């Protein structure tokens, strides 16, 4: 006993050090559910992985050609660009068409979902001709929408190295109704008109986010484009220099910022600066829009890399956009990293959804959450206000009445996060959360060098010379699988991706959801970075009831921003909006889908709010039975 006491006295420092190391391990490691718990929750879900048809005949790259100053971090510069959107592009009434941006070819692909039983069209590349596209440009994402108001879906494609292109469908370019899509179905026009001719002379934007919404309240969809790098020759391998990296790890404001385009009768017009000056030069990776305070104007969330992410209250009038930042109230009990408007986290994906069942939108933010790598936290900002009127009052005071609940909900940690989507895959009435995860896949671990960068002086890191090598073959979070979180019996979310077959160790970027067959079950399409995209057909057999709404105006265009509230017999609300492209590089279909649970029967009150094409706010309550409904929204709501 005396010997043991003496040994302990001599080695106290070492024992304490080991104890601290072990304690730190259990504190910082990502919590994982037991196999039994995950298996029990996963029994509610079933997915079938299906290959997506892609055009052939093109050589596939494994890295992008970049400015010589970026050569040592070419894999880092090549780490984004895989995007996917799900929608009804051919007019057959189902969200069974995909628009995919593929960095392996730097082409934009339109292809049918692989579960179609009809004689679908052949996959094809969008043709930008006569607009100039060079080797210094690359598509980064695709947003479906009716941008010319003819009732057919068009495509907005945003790029690195140039301004976005609208691929418009026009009646004289279509061969008929139904599955008749070809590259000739679309006509390419500049979103930002220029005198480029056969040679591009416009700005060299590097866009990584786009969202469509009626921001100024005139009854027509506007377009927000979020840029990452400032205008510079990022993808020009003939240049050496003239480029930069983020000027701070926590408050970088030397990026490309945001651009807003307003709808006019003569086409889209770039707006004068509408963002607060502090946010006008962020490094944008994600954006989302939703009307949080019930005034008919959508708020805008900006996901900025390396800090300065923000929620903006919309105070616009027709033709005059104006946004004011709202932030968390001062509270000494809340860490800065958990305060909206103050966090220095990365903001790489965002989605709006009702996460606590109170009938009001909350929002999820995707960040980097890798144990022993970069351990930030995802955010789930849950509202603390009682209703939209209280939210509006707080917004007008400059305060955001939201509090982060990611830890208590089990959604704080996932890995190197990107796109994030809330979707009710089993129609239980409770949303699941799916998150794209992973960065650069290779064999040489570069986490230590990245951690050194994170500790560097901000005055150095805008110069790419000081960044650690990240080339082809290097690995940072390359084996992290996509996550699918479902709520367990104790109310917390747990990851069941591995159990349901979607947890593949390949970096993912964009996630799109939609009902491709009309059976009421949401399917999922996933874009993978430098790998084949994949489609997950929802084969869940214990699915509950649902209400699905296709909301169109008299011309047949989706009414972006329309909000729906369904009240169950016990008074429980279910809310959703017609989303116009929120997130990183994945775009859900422009339809409303609300799970109701297994006990919902008969007709239910469905309250719809929208703006008509004259910009007038409208609202109406219908009684609808479970299932899909097509509703025309004009001065009134009428089932078609």
């Amino acid at each position: 006993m005396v010997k043991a006491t003496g040994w302990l006295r001599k080695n106290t420092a070492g024992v304490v050090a080991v104890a601290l190391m072990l304690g730190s391990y259990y504190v910082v490691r990502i919590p994982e559910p037991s196999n039994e718990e995950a298996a029990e929750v996963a029994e509610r879900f079933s997915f079938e992985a299906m290959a997506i048809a892609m055009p052939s005949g093109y050589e596939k790259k494994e890295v992008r050609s970049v400015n010589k100053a970026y050569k040592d971090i070419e894999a880092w510069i090549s780490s984004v660009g895989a995007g996917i959107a799900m929608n009804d592009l051919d007019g057959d009434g189902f969200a069974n068409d995909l628009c995919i941006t593929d960095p392996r070819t730097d082409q934009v692909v339109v292809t049918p979902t692989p579960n179609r039983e009809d004689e679908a069209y052949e996959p094809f590349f969008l043709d930008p001709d006569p607009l100039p596209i060079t080797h210094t440009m690359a598509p980064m994402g695709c947003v479906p929408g009716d941008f010319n108001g003819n009732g057919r879906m068009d495509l907005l494609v945003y790029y690195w190295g140039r301004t976005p292109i609208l691929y418009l469908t026009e009646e004289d370019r279509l061969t008929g109704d139904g599955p008749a899509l070809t590259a000739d179905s679309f006509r390419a026009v500049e979103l930002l008109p220029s005198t480029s001719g056969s040679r591009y002379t416009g700005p060299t934007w590097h866009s990584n986010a786009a969202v469509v919404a009626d921001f100024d309240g005139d009854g027509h969809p506007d377009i927000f484009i979020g840029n990452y790098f400032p205008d510079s020759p990022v993808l020009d391998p003939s240049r050496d220099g003239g480029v930069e990296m983020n000027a701070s790890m926590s408050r970088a404001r030397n990026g490309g910022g945001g651009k807003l385009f307003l709808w006019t009768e003569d086409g889209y017009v770039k707006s004068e600066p509408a963002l607060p000056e502090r946010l006008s030069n962020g490094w944008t990776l994600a954006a989302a829009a939703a009307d949080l305070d019930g005034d008919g104007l959508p708020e805008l969330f900006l996901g900025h890399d390396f800090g300065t992410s923000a929620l903006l209250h919309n105070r616009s009038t027709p033709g005059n956009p104006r946004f004011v930042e709202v932030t968390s109230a001062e509270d000494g009990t809340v860490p800065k990293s958990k305060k909206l408007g103050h966090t220095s986290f990365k903001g790489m994906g965002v989605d709006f959804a009702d996460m606590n069942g109170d009938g009001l939108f909350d929002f999820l933010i995707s960040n980097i959450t890798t144990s022993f790598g970069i351990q930030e936290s995802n955010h789930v900002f849950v509202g603390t206000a009682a209703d939209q009127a209280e939210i509006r009052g707080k917004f007008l005071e400059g305060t955001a009445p939201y509090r982060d609940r990611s830890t208590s909900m089990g959604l704080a940690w996932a890995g190197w996060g990107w796109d994030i989507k809330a979707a009710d895959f089993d129609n239980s009435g409770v949303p699941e959360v799916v998150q794209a995860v992973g960065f650069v896949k290779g064999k040489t671990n570069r986490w230590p060098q990245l951690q050194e960068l994170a500790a560097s002086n901000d005055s150095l890191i805008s110069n790419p010379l000081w960044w650690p090598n990240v080339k082809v073959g290097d690995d940072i979070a390359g084996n992290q699988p996509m996550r699918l979180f479902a709520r367990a019996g104790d109310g917390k979310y747990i990851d069941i991706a591995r159990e349901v077959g979607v947890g593949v160790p390949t970096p993912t970027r964009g996630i799109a959801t939609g009902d491709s067959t009309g059976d009421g079950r949401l399917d999922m399409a996933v874009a993978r970075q430098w790998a084949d995209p994949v489609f997950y057909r929802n084969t869940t057999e214990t699915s509950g009831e649902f209400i699905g709404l296709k909301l169109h105006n008299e011309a047949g265009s989706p009414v972006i921003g329309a909000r729906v509230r369904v009240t169950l017999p016990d008074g429980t609300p279910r809310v959703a909006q017609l989303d116009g492209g929120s997130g990183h590089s994945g775009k859900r279909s422009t339809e409303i889908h609300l799970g109701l649970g297994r006990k919902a029967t008969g007709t239910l009150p469905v309250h719809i709010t929208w703006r008509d094409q004259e910009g007038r706010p409208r609202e109406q309550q219908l009684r609808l039975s479970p299932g899909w409904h097509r509703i025309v929204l004009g001065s009134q709501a009428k089932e078609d």
Side-chain angles (χ1 to χ4, degrees):
M1 184 71 174
V2 174
K3 287 184 178 180
T5 303
W7 179 90
L8 184 61
R9 188 181 301 114
K10 280 180 167 184
N11 296 279
T12 297
V15 171
V16 170
V18 171
L20 286 173
M21 290 173 63
L22 289 172
S24 297
Y25 172 79
Y26 286 103
V27 168
V28 304
R29 74 188 182 104
I30 295 176
E32 294 183 359
S34 67
N35 292 336
E36 293 78 12
E37 184 182 21
E40 181 180 355
V41 174
E43 287 180 355
R44 309 198 316 252
F45 305 91
S46 177
F47 295 91
E48 177 189 358
M50 304 181 75
I52 295 172
M54 301 287 278
S56 59
Y58 280 78
E59 181 180 352
K60 294 178 181 178
K61 302 176 294 183
E62 61 176 355
V63 72
R64 286 201 173 103
S65 298
V66 298
N67 188 297
K68 290 183 175 66
Y70 288 143
K71 186 61 179 175
D72 289 338
I73 55 172
E74 59 183 1
W76 186 296
I77 303 299
S78 302
S79 65
V80 289
I84 197 161
M86 191 171 175
N87 219 292
D88 178 11
L89 302 181
D90 62 4
D92 68 351
F94 299 102
N96 55 11
D97 305 292
L98 303 173
C99 181
I100 300 170
T101 53
D102 189 348
R104 298 174 302 173
T105 61
D106 280 340
Q107 299 282 338
V108 186
V109 174
V110 174
T111 185
T113 59
N115 60 334
R116 289 181 63 153
E117 296 181 356
D118 61 344
E119 188 175 341
Y121 53 90
E122 293 295 321
F124 59 88
F125 293 116
L126 284 181
D127 184 3
D129 188 66
L131 305 185
I133 294 287
T134 72
H135 68 282
T136 65
M137 304 170 184
M140 307 302 286
C142 180
V143 187
D146 185 3
F147 300 109
N148 58 4
N150 67 351
R152 298 296 298 252
M153 294 301 284
D154 312 306
L155 296 169
L156 166 70
V157 179
Y158 51 96
Y159 294 80
W160 274 14
R162 72 166 350 267
T163 56
I165 294 176
L166 289 171
Y167 292 86
L168 303 178
T169 57
E170 297 173 339
E171 293 302 326
D172 60 353
R173 300 179 70 87
L174 298 171
T175 59
D177 295 329
L181 287 183
T182 69
D184 291 334
S185 301
F186 297 88
R187 179 172 65 92
V189 300
E190 297 281 7
L191 176 63
L192 181 66
S194 66
T195 57
S196 58
S198 61
R199 180 174 176 270
Y200 183 75
T201 59
T204 52
W205 292 358
H206 297 88
S207 307
N208 263 126
V211 61
V212 177
D214 181 8
F215 289 111
D216 68 346
D218 67 351
H220 299 276
D222 307 307
I223 299 170
F224 174 83
I225 301 294
N227 296 328
Y228 193 73
F229 290 97
D231 289 18
S232 51
V234 172
L235 299 181
D236 189 346
S238 69
R239 301 283 297 275
D240 187 357
V243 294
E244 57 186 319
M245 295 295 286
N246 321 72
S248 170
M249 283 291 174
S250 59
R251 54 182 184 278
R253 297 172 190 165
N254 62 324
K259 316 293 181 183
L260 185 63
F261 289 81
L262 298 181
W263 178 92
T264 73
E265 292 184 355
D266 298 320
Y268 283 92
V269 175
K270 184 172 174 290
S271 164
E272 292 299 314
L275 302 181
E277 184 177 356
R278 187 181 81 86
L279 302 168
S280 60
N281 293 106
W283 294 71
T284 314
L285 281 175
D291 179 13
L292 302 179
D293 62 356
D295 64 356
L297 295 172
E299 274 60 63
L300 176 64
F301 185 89
L302 300 178
H304 284 165
D305 203 3
F306 297 103
T308 70
S309 294
L311 177 64
L312 302 180
H313 183 219
N314 192 342
R315 301 182 186 178
S316 305
T317 57
N320 298 288
R322 178 171 173 253
F323 297 90
V324 176
E325 184 181 9
V326 291
T327 62
S328 295
E330 290 300 322
D331 187 337
T333 66
V334 179
K336 176 184 173 184
S337 61
K338 297 286 188 177
K339 290 182 179 179
L340 187 61
H342 300 282
T343 175
S344 61
F345 293 168
K346 303 304 178 284
M348 300 165 76
V350 59
D351 197 21
F352 288 101
D354 180 7
M355 296 301 296
N356 62 350
D358 64 355
L360 300 171
F361 284 132
D362 312 300
F363 50 104
L364 308 105
I365 303 171
S366 185
N367 293 306
I368 301 177
T369 65
T370 297
S371 298
F372 307 103
I374 297 179
Q375 182 68 298
E376 298 178 344
S377 165
N378 296 322
H379 290 128
V380 183
F381 282 108
V382 175
T384 59
D387 52 32
Q388 288 182 315
E390 184 179 347
I391 294 174
R392 192 177 314 124
K394 294 290 187 182
F395 280 174
L396 292 173
E397 295 171 359
T399 301
Y402 298 89
R403 201 174 178 95
D404 179 58
R405 304 294 187 193
S406 58
T407 302
S408 62
M409 295 181 76
L411 293 168
W413 301 288
W416 192 300
W418 295 91
D419 218 0
I420 190 167
K421 291 286 189 294
D424 189 351
F425 291 111
D426 64 347
N427 291 334
S428 64
V430 176
E432 285 70 57
V433 176
V434 60
Q435 187 174 12
V437 177
F439 188 43
V440 175
K441 192 175 184 69
K443 295 182 179 180
T444 304
N445 181 13
R446 290 298 184 186
W447 272 116
Q449 289 80 9
L450 182 59
Q451 290 162 341
E452 289 180 1
L453 174 70
S456 298
N457 191 308
D458 277 359
S459 64
L460 298 176
I461 65 171
S462 64
N463 188 336
L465 176 67
W466 296 103
W467 284 60
N469 288 358
V470 185
K471 297 182 177 182
V472 175
D474 290 335
D475 187 278
I476 301 175
N479 288 314
Q480 293 181 349
M482 189 175 79
R483 306 286 182 171
L484 197 163
F485 295 97
R487 192 178 293 180
D490 61 0
K492 293 186 70 170
Y493 281 84
I494 64 172
D495 177 32
I496 59 168
R498 181 181 60 183
E499 285 72 15
V500 298
V502 305
V504 179
T506 299
T508 48
R509 289 296 178 269
I511 300 169
T513 60
D515 180 0
S516 63
T517 61
D519 65 0
R521 294 177 291 189
L522 288 178
D523 305 304
M524 177 170 55
V526 179
R528 294 167 168 169
Q529 192 70 16
W530 301 103
D532 292 337
V534 63
F535 183 82
Y536 292 106
R537 183 170 72 97
N538 190 344
T539 57
T540 300
E541 295 183 359
T542 57
S543 181
E545 297 290 344
F546 76 100
I547 279 183
L549 301 177
K550 303 174 189 289
L551 302 177
H552 299 266
N553 59 26
E554 289 93 337
S557 309
V559 182
I560 302 298
R563 182 184 172 109
V564 174
R565 181 187 179 104
V566 177
T567 305
L568 300 183
D570 63 359
T572 302
R574 298 279 186 261
V575 296
Q577 66 161 349
L578 199 69
D579 181 30
S582 295
H584 175 60
S585 63
K587 310 300 177 185
R588 59 165 57 88
S589 64
T590 47
E591 300 166 333
I592 295 285
H593 174 276
L594 282 166
L596 304 175
R598 298 186 181 91
K599 297 181 180 179
T601 59
T603 61
L604 297 169
V606 179
H607 190 260
I608 308 174
T609 59
W610 73 98
R611 283 186 185 268
D612 65 21
Q613 290 186 280
E614 306 301 321
R616 287 185 289 266
R618 303 284 187 178
E619 61 179 303
Q620 189 170 329
Q621 184 159 298
L622 306 174
R623 291 198 67 88
L624 300 174
S625 58
W628 278 106
H629 302 267
R630 180 181 172 91
I631 309 293
V632 178
L633 300 179
S635 59
Q636 294 182 320
K638 299 178 181 180
E639 187 159 10
D640 189 5

